Amino acid sequence: MKKLSVLLLAVAMVAPGIAAQISQAAGYKQEYKLSTVLGKPFPWGNAGERWAELVREKTAGRINIKMYPGASLVGGDQTKEFTSIRQGAIDLAIGSTINWSPQVQELNLFSMPFLMPDYKAIDALTKGQVGDELFKILASKDVVPLAWGENGFRELSNSKRAIRSPEDLKGLKIRVVGSPLFLDSFTALGANPTQMSWADAVPALSSGAVDGQENPLTVFMAAKLYSAANQKFLTLWGYVADPLIFVVNKEVWESWSAEDQAAVKEAAEQAGEECIAEARQGLLPPDYPLISEIEGHGVTVVTLSEAHKAEFKAATRPVYEKWAEEIGPELVKKAEESIAASRQP
Ligand code: X2X
C-alpha cells in the first residue's frame, strides 16, 4: 500500500469527519438533494428520511442526503419532478409513477383502471418482468432506478354523498393528479375532474372549490382529510395503485465509488421494503384496522360489491383500451399475464 493510502486509512479510522471532507474534496457534494411529494409522517416521507439515514450510516457520512418534501425543488409542481432530476437540479428522488408518467409514458401502466386487483398483483408487476422492463426504460433517461416503494391503492373520497355506482359520481368535481389518463377515467365515469398538484388540492378541498379526490388511505389519514377537507364519504374501489420508485441522477451516480453506489442501492432496497410494509399497514385482511379508524372519524365507508365494481370497470373500459395503445400493447399484455400468473394457487 502506498504511503498516502496508509495515511488516509489511518485518518478514516480515527476521524471519520476528516475522511468525509477528503472524499468531498474528491468530487462529492456537501449535500445531495432528495425530492419527494409527501414528507413525514406519510409513509412516503418516512421512506425518504430512512433512505437518507441508511445511506449516511452505510457510507460513513460520505454521502449526505437532505430530503425536500412538497416537491419544493420544482415549486410544488410534482409533474415537473422527473424533468428536473434529468437536468440535475434534483440529485435523488422517490417519485410516484403517476407524477413521472407525463415524461415516461409507460409508467401510466399503474393508472390503468382496475388492472391490479390486490397487493399480490402490484408485486407481480414490480417484482417481475414488467418491473425490470420499466427500470430499463428509466435507465435510458439519465436516471439510475434502484428500488420500488409504495404510495398505495387510491380510494375515492368526497364531501357530498356515498358513491356506489358511476351514477352517484355524476357532476362531482374531483381533484386528480398528473396524467391525462386520470381526466379520461373520471370523465368516463361522469364526474367533473380537475387536475391540480397536491399542494393546491388540500386548500381546494377545504374551501369546497372541489368536492372530492382519490388518494391512498394512509394519505387520507395522515392529511386528516376527513376533517381538514370535509371528506366524509369514502368508497373503497381499489381502481389504481401507485408504486414509488427510488432513483438517482445518472451523473451523480457516476461520481460515486462502486462501494458507495452499492451502499446507496442497498439502502434504497431496505427503505423501499419498509415503505411498502408501512403503506399496507392496517389495510390487510382479516380486520383492516385502518378502515375502522377512519370510520371512527365519522366517515361513511362504502366497500363496493363485485356487481357495483363491475359497473365502474365497464364504464372505464374504453379508457383502458385507449391507454393500452399509448402505453404499449405488449407491455400491457405482459402486465396482464404476470397478474394472471400470480393468481394461480
Ligand atoms: O398528489 C397526490 O395525490 C399524491 C400525493 O398521491 C401524489 O403525489 C401522486
Side-chain angles (χ1 to χ4, degrees):
M1 210 188 283
K2 289 214 182 89
K3 264 190 196 149
L4 181 64
S5 342
V6 173
L7 181 67
L8 279 180
L9 185 69
V11 170
M13 276 158 52
V14 297
I18 298 175
Q21 278 168 20
I22 292 170
S23 64
Q24 272 155 16
Y28 279 33
K29 297 187 195 180
Q30 296 263 345
E31 177 194 293
Y32 291 94
K33 294 180 163 53
L34 164 64
S35 178
T36 63
V37 175
L38 301 175
K40 272 169 141 8
F42 298 89
W44 191 341
N46 292 341
E49 294 286 359
R50 185 74 176 129
W51 191 17
E53 175 188 81
L54 287 167
V55 167
R56 206 168 296 124
E57 259 172 48
K58 287 177 194 286
T59 65
R62 286 186 297 278
I63 296 177
N64 173 39
I65 296 173
K66 180 163 180 217
M67 180 169 80
Y68 290 79
S72 60
L73 298 171
V74 280
D77 186 349
Q78 59 216 53
T79 59
K80 300 232 163 72
E81 191 180 54
F82 191 78
T83 306
S84 201
I85 306 162
R86 290 194 77 168
Q87 291 169 346
I90 292 173
D91 300 310
L92 311 93
I94 305 175
S96 156
T97 49
I98 301 173
N99 296 330
W100 295 355
S101 64
Q103 291 84 35
V104 190
Q105 189 79 313
E106 293 85 351
L107 291 181
N108 279 298
L109 179 70
F110 298 98
S111 305
M112 291 281 269
F114 302 101
L115 168 66
M116 298 172 288
D118 52 24
Y119 289 127
K120 226 172 158 184
I122 305 181
D123 295 341
L125 299 186
T126 57
K127 298 200 163 110
Q129 268 184 29
V130 167
D132 291 346
E133 200 160 307
L134 292 171
F135 271 19
K136 267 193 211 127
I137 293 166
L138 287 168
S140 73
K141 296 181 191 284
D142 312 317
V143 305
V144 180
L146 298 177
W148 295 92
E150 192 157 295
N151 195 21
F153 274 104
R154 303 180 69 88
E155 312 295 1
L156 179 65
S157 75
N158 82 96
S159 59
K160 299 282 188 212
R161 53 182 176 258
I163 291 168
R164 294 192 173 80
S165 73
E167 193 57 34
D168 300 324
L169 252 174
K170 282 244 149 54
L172 286 189
K173 270 194 217 144
I174 305 291
R175 173 267 172 173
V176 294
V177 227
S179 156
L181 167 45
F182 285 79
L183 292 176
D184 285 354
S185 291
F186 280 87
T187 304
L189 290 168
N192 181 5
T194 167
Q195 225 169 44
M196 60 181 80
S197 69
W198 172 250
D200 292 337
V202 180
L205 289 160
S206 304
S207 71
V210 296
D211 305 312
Q213 63 91 46
E214 42 82 61
N215 247 302
L217 297 183
T218 51
V219 176
F220 185 87
M221 273 305 285
K224 297 191 170 60
L225 293 185
Y226 48 86
S227 61
N230 312 310
Q231 300 295 288
K232 293 294 184 199
F233 300 95
L234 184 63
T235 295
L236 305 179
W237 63 342
Y239 82 126
V240 303
D242 55 328
L244 301 175
I245 307 178
F246 291 62
V247 303
V248 179
N249 165 282
K250 191 156 178 258
E251 228 173 273
V252 168
W253 178 259
E254 286 171 354
S255 74
W256 291 336
S257 70
E259 183 199 351
D260 286 343
Q261 289 175 345
V264 172
K265 183 170 166 60
E266 246 176 55
E269 284 167 352
Q270 189 176 334
E273 283 305 319
E274 290 175 16
C275 173
I276 292 170
E278 198 190 343
R280 298 179 186 184
Q281 211 174 320
L283 293 171
L284 295 172
D287 45 2
Y288 306 88
L290 187 62
I291 294 170
S292 322
E293 204 181 325
I294 290 172
E295 283 175 324
H297 288 286
V299 177
T300 302
V301 179
V302 174
T303 304
L304 289 185
S305 66
E306 281 309 312
H308 277 132
K309 203 180 244 185
E311 285 181 42
F312 286 94
K313 258 190 202 177
T316 51
R317 190 65 204 176
V319 177
Y320 188 104
E321 273 154 20
K322 170 184 162 188
W323 279 86
E325 293 302 314
E326 307 268 337
I327 292 164
E330 292 203 357
L331 184 65
V332 174
K333 188 160 167 261
K334 206 173 278 176
E336 290 166 345
E337 287 169 358
S338 305
I339 292 169
S342 78
R343 314 199 76 65
Q344 309 295 329

